[in-house]
Amino acid sequence: MPKIVDHEQRRDELVRAVWEVISREGIEGATVRKVAEAAGVSVGGLRHYFDNQRGLLVFAAYAIGRSVTARVAGHLHADLPGLERAQLMLEELLPLDDNRRVEADVWLACLVRSRVEESLAESRGTAWAGERHICRLAVASCHDTPLPDIGQELADAVLEQQAVRLHTFMDGLTLQTVTCPHNFTPRGIRAIVREELRLLTEV
């Protein structure tokens, strides 16, 4: 009988291999051949997912989106106080551990490439909308107001402006913590986010 391939399991295995290679070699050193070696498969076996470095980055960007979305959903559906839920959701966007640090590194590389790689433009737009939605969820959680659907603005114009401000803040914090990691500790990053949320709730 032909071997039945669990494509979701294989995809997860390849994601882990991509993270491993990027952690070791950096973005530019992450080649299809090295990912194949790390995953223990042939280069030909990767063609269903990607066949060059550009495809590898598209695959990596998609995997980041899936991972962040799943983690945020876990916090969103947990029985937590609003401020704590908001904090945990926003932390999923920041390099607070090895896994999230690689995700942030890869995502920033994808953003840079998306200016010249049309194949990454859709991922860039989807990620921007996803991050804006997370910021809206965080603001709504802080103020104990109804959570918006995906793509829906907050009903209160003042709160919607807070979400816009929070989105800009998160992008800046992510950029600084990725490019200057020696200036930040996980504890310090969490404190910065907590203070920003405190300021939002005082408005």
Side-chain angles (χ1 to χ4, degrees), residues 8 12 61-78 85 88-89 91-93 99-100 103 130 133-134 137 150:
E8 284 303 312
D12 289 343
Y62 174 76
I64 291 170
R66 288 184 65 197
S67 181
V68 171
T69 298
R71 297 196 304 264
V72 168
H75 300 313
L76 189 61
H77 297 117
R85 181 188 303 116
L88 291 173
M89 287 192 294
E91 286 181 4
E92 296 302 348
L93 301 170
N99 184 60
R100 284 177 285 187
E103 288 180 348
H133 181 59
I134 292 171
L137 292 174
I150 296 176

Side-chain angles (χ1 to χ4, degrees), residues 17-194:
V18 169
W19 292 165
E20 176 187 332
V21 173
I22 291 175
S23 296
R24 186 178 67 243
E25 307 284 349
I27 295 295
E28 295 305 323
T31 65
V32 174
R33 179 181 59 79
K34 289 178 180 177
V35 171
E37 290 176 356
V41 300
S42 67
V43 171
L46 298 185
R47 288 178 181 169
H48 179 71
Y49 304 95
F50 51 83
D51 56 9
N52 53 36
Q53 191 179 56
R54 180 175 60 185
L56 186 154
L57 286 178
V58 172
F59 176 82
Y62 174 76
I64 291 170
R66 288 184 65 197
S67 181
V68 171
T69 298
R71 297 196 304 264
V72 168
H75 300 313
L76 189 61
H77 297 117
D79 184 15
L80 297 169
L83 275 172
E84 184 178 350
R85 181 188 303 116
Q87 175 90 23
L88 291 173
M89 287 192 294
L90 294 175
E91 286 181 4
E92 296 302 348
L93 301 170
L94 295 167
L96 289 166
D97 52 35
D98 290 342
N99 184 60
R100 284 177 285 187
R101 188 173 301 110
V102 172
E103 288 180 348
D105 284 341
V106 173
W107 181 239
L108 287 181
C110 289
L111 283 180
V112 172
R113 292 286 185 90
S114 71
R115 299 186 64 181
V116 295
E117 293 283 358
E118 186 63 30
S119 58
L120 286 170
E122 181 178 352
S123 295
R124 178 184 62 197
T126 300
W128 186 94
E131 186 174 348
R132 176 59 61 86
H133 181 59
I134 292 171
C135 290
R136 286 170 175 152
L137 292 174
V139 169
S141 295
C142 286
H143 292 281
D144 195 26
T145 60
L147 301 177
D149 293 329
I150 296 176
Q152 178 184 27
E153 293 187 1
L154 294 168
D156 186 308
V158 173
L159 297 189
E160 176 64 19
Q161 283 303 113
Q162 287 187 5
V164 173
R165 166 185 158 180
L166 183 59
H167 190 172
T168 304
F169 164 82
M170 288 298 298
D171 277 351
L173 183 59
T174 300
L175 181 62
Q176 288 200 22
T177 52
V178 170
T179 57
C180 302
H182 55 281
N183 290 336
F184 300 90
T185 63
R187 182 177 180 179
I189 294 170
R190 289 187 171 97
I192 291 170
V193 175
R194 189 160 50 248

